[in-house]
């Protein structure tokens, strides 16, 4: 398998719930008006606590400093796993877990910050051919000798579950959208992203999402012209059914949310704690990290196995 | 003819050019998300100086006080002229000038503020059956005796042109839009309203609008579920051709802009200065008042007559 270090230098930002209104102008621009900005990597994820924005430095310039904005100081690099010459995408759910294990497991003890890049290549070069994207070209990356000794520190050790796990009741959809049809869902998407908290309710907006067992979670990303959306079935019903695509009709996912309190960026290995046992059990999963929590999406039909597995792991951390 | 005093209590607001970004959230809500607000009367007009917002009190609540916001203190009442049982609308251009003359001429010496309502009815009751809309019912309004003596002060006197008149080179379109198709033009409308100043240019955006002879003017209104748009042909080209309707294909208008400096709301009779000679010459016109200027739109083919008429009036104010 090949691992590509993409040509994006990313910032990770948190916007407070009450502060989002002050960023409507730049965010609407970044989401809907690609011709107005040079940003090529943008993602916005709403969780119950806040909004997480991950975007490249061109996009970051659009956001004015504010008391409502919390900026993580590091530059982050996105890694893209390519198998059999095809980039892993949202339409190829099978195999994602194995990939996640291969990439995330070995990196669990290391940050994926730009300043850690030499450590990343040293950690992963046994399992991957590593390339760095530079101006559209893939340049092979080789490990420097002086960092080889950081390699494989505790690589194979199974990590005990440290953080509590929440499995909310909502069912989620992982979808893609043709960028040319983005205008057709603009008002609905704007409504869901910027006006779903407070004010008179829109027709068809019911209250179950406020139940304690359900979680507010909505994610939009526009990366190199590709749009991905993750939302629960309640939000999905507000969109035209014929414009959003899933990898297979009616595919539903459940969420495993990791962390009972904000985790912080200095704490690593959180995704690895869950990705490894999921991969060992051949259960597919999507992973979405936000400013405060990590989230894994697993197929609806596997949720009872996942629940049992996580309980087992929690009570006997060294047994599986 | 019947004159209906509509059941809207309006505020008139100016937003500075640089301040508009801070009002993106409430304005997008008022324009696109009718289910989220109780506002029934909303209009937004961009001129070179600022943005004028006219909206009812439910809409006014959405706008937070700000240094970028200038609020005219009065409550204003909209008047609607009904001829032969049909409300005059943007699809009935013929006759608009005569109506404008009938309504605006007599009122030129009086404000149309709520506190002046008794004066309004006294001024207009000779020419109109006057009704006040109250909760969906039309209630006849009759003049109170104690204000009858304010009537007809100088009513027939031709007013001299006081303010300079500018006739920019752009051609304008007056259009309507089915509210159900508003989502289809949302991203274009958002782009034109909120992002047309500064930033990288969108494709197809050319520079002629920055010519000194052309003027920046764009107006959107959503009143009781009806949408009207006024824009120049350059802006029109950015919208899908099949969604915006004009009263007759290819109908183009030129603008007569009154006032070389901001006029202020205490100055009255400005529209009357131009509406009376236009009506006398049987030239159709739309009138759009903004925070600082008044604007009349006249048919392209009549612009040379209008220019000659205004020059004549200016040099010989008592001759026509």
């Amino acid at each position: 398998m090949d691992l590509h270090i993409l040509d994006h230098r990313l910032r990770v930002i948190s916007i407070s719930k009450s502060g989002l209104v002050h960023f409507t102008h730049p965010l609407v621009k970044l989401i809907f008006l690609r011709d107005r900005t040079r940003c090529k990597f943008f993602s916005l994820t709403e969780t119950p606590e806040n909004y997480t924005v991950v975007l490249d430095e061109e996009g970051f310039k659009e956001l004015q400093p504010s008391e409502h904005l919390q900026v993580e100081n590091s530059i982050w690099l996105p890694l893209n796993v390519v198998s059999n010459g095809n980039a892993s995408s949202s339409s190829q759910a099978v195999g994602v877990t194995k990939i996640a294990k291969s990439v995330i497991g070995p990196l669990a003890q290391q940050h994926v910050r730009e300043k850690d890049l030499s450590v990343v290549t040293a950690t992963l070069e046994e399992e991957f051919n590593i390339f760095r994207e530079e101006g559209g070209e893939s340049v092979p990356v080789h490990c420097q000798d002086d960092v080889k000794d950081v390699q494989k520190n505790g690589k194979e050790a199974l990590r005990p579950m440290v953080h509590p796990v929440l499995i909310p009741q909502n069912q989620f959809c992982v979808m893609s959208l043709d960028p040319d049809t983005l205008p057709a869902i603009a008002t609905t998407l704007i409504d869901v992203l910027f006006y779903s908290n407070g004010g008179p309710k829109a027709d068809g907006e019911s209250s179950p999402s406020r139940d304690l067992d359900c979680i507010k979670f909505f994610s939009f990303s526009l990366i190199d012209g590709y749009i991905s959306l993750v939302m629960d079935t309640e939000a999905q019903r507000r969109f035209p059914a014929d414009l959003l695509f899933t990898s297979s009709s009616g595919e539903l996912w459940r969420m495993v949310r990791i962390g009972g309190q904000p985790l912080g960026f200095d704490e690593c290995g959180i995704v690895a704690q869950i990705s490894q046992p999921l991969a060992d059990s051949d259960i597919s999963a999507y992973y979405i990290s936000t400013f405060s929590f990590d989230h894994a999406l697993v197929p609806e039909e596997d949720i009872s196995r996942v629940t049992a597995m996580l309980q087992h792991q929690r009570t006997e951390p060294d047994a599986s």
Side-chain angles (χ1 to χ4, degrees), chain A:
Chain A
M1 281 196 294
D2 294 344
L3 180 74
H4 290 253
I5 301 159
L6 301 185
D7 196 11
H8 298 295
R9 305 179 75 241
L10 306 182
R11 306 299 296 252
V12 179
I13 290 152
S14 163
I15 301 176
S16 68
K17 284 272 167 165
S18 62
L20 189 79
V21 297
H22 303 292
F23 291 91
T24 310
H25 192 268
L27 292 176
V28 164
K29 181 176 177 181
L30 289 164
I31 295 170
F32 296 105
L33 305 175
R34 280 181 295 158
D35 291 337
R36 293 274 180 202
T37 159
R38 294 187 184 86
C39 178
K40 300 296 180 198
F41 191 114
F42 173 83
S43 96
L44 173 64
T45 303
E46 179 178 10
T47 61
E49 299 74 29
N50 52 38
Y51 297 85
T52 298
V53 180
V54 181
L55 75 182
D56 61 25
E57 290 180 312
E58 286 290 342
F60 184 60
K61 288 179 194 164
E62 305 281 353
L63 305 180
Q64 299 298 313
S66 154
E67 57 186 319
H68 308 288
L69 208 67
Q70 195 179 340
V71 181
E72 210 282 322
N73 280 323
S74 304
I75 302 288
W76 297 76
L77 300 176
L79 307 182
N80 195 21
V81 172
V82 180
S83 176
N84 299 322
N86 297 313
S88 104
S89 73
S90 59
S91 63
Q92 294 172 297
V94 178
V96 168
T97 303
K98 292 288 187 189
I99 291 167
K101 184 196 170 193
S102 299
V103 181
I104 298 164
L107 279 176
Q109 277 86 26
Q110 318 289 352
H111 294 276
V112 196
R113 298 175 187 167
E114 184 174 54
K115 61 184 178 186
D116 302 324
L117 189 59
S118 58
V119 177
V120 169
T121 55
T123 308
L124 292 175
E125 72 166 4
E126 261 190 26
E127 297 201 39
F128 294 95
N129 300 312
I130 303 178
F131 301 90
R132 182 149 196 185
E133 302 289 324
E134 287 174 11
E137 304 246 327
S138 294
V139 182
V141 177
H142 298 290
C143 183
Q144 293 158 29
D145 284 338
D146 58 346
V147 291
K148 284 215 171 175
D149 52 353
V150 305
Q151 203 172 341
K152 289 204 243 180
N153 273 343
K155 183 182 166 188
E156 294 302 326
L158 183 68
R159 303 179 59 83
M161 285 300 287
V162 176
H163 301 283
V165 167
L166 176 73
I167 302 180
Q169 292 300 311
N170 348 21
Q171 298 172 309
F172 288 89
C173 316
V174 180
M175 290 177 291
S176 63
L177 175 72
D178 182 340
D180 292 338
T181 61
L182 181 58
I185 66 159
T187 51
T188 306
L189 187 54
I190 286 172
D191 195 3
V192 168
L193 283 176
F194 297 100
Y195 301 91
S196 55
N197 300 312
K201 277 184 198 173
D203 288 346
E205 206 177 16
S206 55
S207 51
S209 70
R210 277 106 191 144
D211 287 358
L212 285 176
D213 291 341
C214 286
I215 197 172
K216 184 95 187 178
F217 187 95
F218 188 96
S219 181
F220 170 92
S221 66
L222 172 54
I223 298 169
D224 290 327
Y226 291 90
I227 295 174
S228 302
L229 292 142
V230 177
M231 65 185 84
D232 68 10
T233 49
E234 186 187 329
Q236 185 202 19
R237 279 193 291 272
R238 300 175 59 184
F239 289 86
D242 54 337
L243 296 178
L244 298 175
F245 301 103
T246 52
S247 55
S248 67
S249 172
E251 195 172 41
L252 293 176
W253 301 77
R254 288 285 293 279
M255 176 179 288
V256 179
R257 186 179 206 232
I258 309 163
Q261 53 194 359
L263 299 169
F265 276 86
D266 285 326
E267 190 155 11
C268 297
I270 297 159
V271 168
Q273 288 171 20
I274 187 170
S275 71
Q276 189 158 346
L278 288 178
D280 291 343
S281 306
D282 274 322
I283 295 173
S284 302
Y286 287 104
Y287 299 92
I288 303 173
S289 294
T290 63
F291 208 80
S292 309
F293 291 89
D294 281 312
H295 310 78
L297 292 172
V298 299
E300 168 90 63
E301 60 266 29
D302 294 324
I303 191 66
S304 55
R305 282 170 65 207
V306 172
T307 307
M309 188 192 77
L310 291 172
Q311 281 176 337
H312 181 252
Q313 187 185 36
R314 199 165 168 73
T315 50
E316 300 175 57
D318 296 320
S320 63

